[in-house]
Amino acid sequence: MRVYFHTFGCKSNQYETGQIAAKLLDMGFGRTARPETAELIVVNTCSVTHIAERKARNIIRKLAAASPQAGFYICGCAVNIQRESFTKIFAENLASRLTLVYQAQKLKPETWGLPKPRFDYAQRSLRSARGWPGAEPEGGGKTGQNYRVREFLKIQEGCACFCSYCIVPYARPVLASEPPEKIRAAAEKLLANNVSEIVLTGINLGRYQYRNKNLTDILKLLLPTGLARIRLSSLEPDRVTPDLLEIMAANPRLARHLHIPLQSGSDSILQAMNRQYSTADFRRLILSVRAMLGADCGLTTDIIVGFPGETAETFRATCALVQELGFSDLHIFPYSPRAGTAAAPRPATCPERELKQFCQTLENLRKKMQRAFLEKQRRRTLEVLVENDRGQGFSSEYARVKFLDRVERGKIYTARPRAIKEDFILAEIDTSGKA
């Protein structure tokens, strides 16, 4: 039996789809990239915005039409909070095709009530989270390893911050952290499969806590494994601690890049969002990060535009703070009210036309700051991990780089920047031996 996967949303969702895939392979299922040939379809949904939920429902409708015989297994955050919207997709006489999988069972496909596969693909493939057979005709298909050079490793689950705009604590309310020995074993498996960089991720990564071990302890545990690079995904401001910055500064194999969500440059908006810091707190944090990691480290952030209470004045404050702090990139999100959150009943104060203007203004600022960041990186050598056969990759600071030389996928090269083109750096291998 062949399975088709479609994943929406965050790094954690992408990682979890890989884990589901690995377990289904071990159970004897095969994978297909063509939904019309699939007997089973797994859709991993996202609920961070109502647009994400709508996209998931639209895709499921299209897949149901393209694969009239397939059974559907729908999981992810949207299922946990919007069950009815997915059951309505299937007509009453087709309800038997649909199984909704809730968070507690998401990574346990053996509990989904799956049909028994007629052919055991696990006997024909390399067993890995991504090493699936192509599964073209039933009973055959190519095999092979399919790990990427950079892979996610999820170590933490759940969030209890309850920012007033966010539905995630309702969809994933249980805080849990993986045991350190399990994390190390997973990292060693990735290393054995030629993965050069792992990205530690979680729903609220900085809240990792297993008994007396925190995120800094996990980094200390993973450094001796021999991984070429370890990167951290998004961290809340209060989780960027002096101990964490100290170990990052002391170890070049820890990426010199942090993503720290700001969300707004207005104290009144931050308070309304239930964010537990002020703009002054955030400014001090960024100064500390640069003091420890260097002025040329990569710093990216999230900004929500048009939150209830947003005015031209609060938006100007956001632009001013963003420009002052000089991020290397921004993720810009127009506010999307989520039913069930504290902010949902609040009236909008930013008309649609003004919201679009604000987003465009911030996008223009983003491009200007990104260019300034790349210009800064251009004046120094960079350690670049090549991620594909086209000579493209990322530096430790998360600058996108393309080599002019012939380079090998999966290796880290010292790069000498030569030019900036659009949003990436053109570089040659540095053979001088000088930084």
Side-chain angles (χ1 to χ4, degrees):
M1 274 192 169
R2 293 156 295 195
V3 186
Y4 175 81
F5 291 89
H6 195 104
T7 304
F8 293 89
C10 64
K11 294 179 178 68
S12 289
N13 256 14
Q14 296 172 45
Y15 175 81
E16 288 170 350
T17 295
Q19 295 300 296
I20 295 167
K23 291 184 179 181
L24 289 179
L25 174 61
D26 283 341
M27 292 166 66
F29 293 89
R31 187 174 193 170
T32 179
R34 302 188 304 169
E36 67 275 12
T37 68
E39 287 94 352
L40 302 176
I41 291 178
V42 176
V43 180
N44 195 353
T45 65
C46 172
S47 66
V48 70
T49 67
H50 71 277
I51 295 172
E53 288 183 4
R54 187 173 68 223
K55 286 181 178 178
R57 290 192 293 269
N58 288 341
I59 285 292
I60 292 168
R61 289 189 186 97
K62 291 178 181 177
L63 291 173
S67 311
Q69 305 304 317
F72 280 74
Y73 294 80
I74 315 299
C75 59
C77 290
V79 169
N80 298 326
I81 60 174
Q82 292 287 347
R83 172 191 175 98
E84 296 79 9
S85 69
F86 292 97
T87 57
K88 288 177 182 176
I89 295 173
F90 292 84
E92 200 169 309
N93 62 329
L94 297 176
S96 60
R97 294 178 62 192
L98 174 66
T99 300
L100 297 180
V101 179
Y102 297 100
Q103 192 62 32
Q105 283 74 45
K106 184 176 182 180
L107 299 183
K108 300 175 182 178
E110 66 276 10
T111 69
W112 294 4
L114 295 162
K116 186 176 180 181
R118 296 188 300 276
F119 174 81
D120 189 354
Y121 283 100
Q123 301 305 315
R124 297 287 300 274
S125 69
L126 296 172
R127 295 190 178 208
S128 73
R130 296 181 182 275
W132 280 61
E136 290 306 325
E138 182 83 334
K142 63 184 179 180
T143 64
Q145 190 66 277
N146 241 352
Y147 280 103
R148 296 172 298 189
V149 169
R150 173 162 46 107
E151 287 285 356
F152 302 127
L153 178 55
K154 184 185 173 195
I155 67 172
Q156 185 275 341
E157 169 62 36
C159 182
C161 289
F162 290 95
C163 299
S164 63
Y165 53 82
C166 186
I167 199 68
V168 171
Y170 302 92
R172 295 178 181 253
V174 179
L175 294 175
S177 296
E178 294 286 356
E181 61 273 14
K182 185 176 178 181
I183 296 170
R184 176 158 180 153
E188 289 174 341
K189 179 181 178 182
L190 292 172
L191 178 62
N193 282 283
N194 300 315
V195 172
S196 300
E197 177 180 316
I198 62 168
V199 183
L200 295 181
T201 188
I203 301 304
N204 190 341
L205 176 64
R207 294 285 172 181
Y208 178 89
Q209 190 71 44
Y210 188 86
R211 297 176 182 167
N212 64 336
K213 302 296 184 183
N214 60 22
L215 182 58
T216 301
D217 295 315
I218 296 303
L219 293 177
K220 292 176 182 176
L221 181 73
L222 293 180
L223 280 168
T225 61
L227 283 159
R229 183 180 290 164
I230 302 169
R231 191 178 297 275
L232 299 176
S233 61
S234 180
L235 290 173
E236 289 297 312
D238 66 325
R239 300 288 97 184
V240 183
T241 63
D243 286 348
L244 179 65
L245 293 176
E246 186 175 339
I247 191 173
M248 290 180 70
N251 292 275
R253 287 190 293 125
L254 298 180
R256 296 173 65 247
H257 165 251
L258 286 171
H259 183 88
I260 311 173
L262 170 60
Q263 307 301 11
S264 175
S266 162
D267 284 322
S268 62
I269 297 294
L270 289 175
Q271 187 174 6
M273 288 177 166
N274 196 32
R275 302 289 289 172
Q276 301 300 308
Y277 54 87
S278 67
T279 55
D281 296 330
F282 199 92
R283 182 182 289 106
R284 281 192 294 270
L285 173 62
I286 298 304
L287 291 173
S288 296
V289 171
R290 290 203 168 111
M292 291 293 291
L293 302 187
D296 52 7
C297 68
L299 279 171
T300 54
T301 196
D302 298 334
I303 299 292
I304 295 175
V305 182
F307 186 81
E310 185 89 279
T311 63
E313 183 180 357
T314 63
F315 179 70
R316 281 194 297 270
T318 294
C319 290
L321 183 58
V322 164
Q323 191 162 15
E324 175 192 341
L325 298 179
F327 294 100
S328 50
D329 207 351
L330 302 178
H331 296 169
I332 304 163
F333 301 94
Y335 172 67
S336 173
R338 304 296 294 119
T341 62
R346 301 175 190 173
T349 57
C350 193
E352 186 67 24
R353 183 177 178 181
E354 188 175 41
L355 178 62
K356 289 180 179 178
Q357 291 174 344
F358 286 174
C359 288
Q360 186 58 55
T361 298
L362 211 48
E363 172 62 15
N364 294 341
L365 180 56
R366 183 196 74 80
K367 290 179 179 178
K368 181 180 177 182
M369 289 191 304
Q370 183 186 62
R371 180 77 185 198
F373 169 70
L374 294 178
E375 289 286 359
K376 190 181 295 183
Q377 302 304 307
R378 182 183 175 182
R379 296 193 288 269
R380 51 187 294 269
T381 57
L382 305 172
E383 298 302 307
V384 179
L385 171 63
V386 180
E387 297 193 12
N388 58 39
D389 295 327
R390 299 184 300 278
Q392 299 168 337
F394 286 91
S395 72
S396 177
E397 298 78 11
Y398 212 56
R400 190 185 300 271
V401 177
K402 179 176 173 57
F403 279 97
L404 298 168
D405 313 271
R406 186 183 297 272
V407 288
E408 185 179 340
R409 176 181 178 272
K411 291 186 66 174
I412 290 181
Y413 294 86
T414 300
R416 178 72 61 179
R418 292 304 181 198
I420 296 173
K421 186 175 181 181
E422 298 172 354
D423 62 349
F424 62 91
I425 293 172
L426 289 171
E428 297 174 341
I429 298 174
D430 180 59
T431 57
S432 68
K434 298 178 182 179

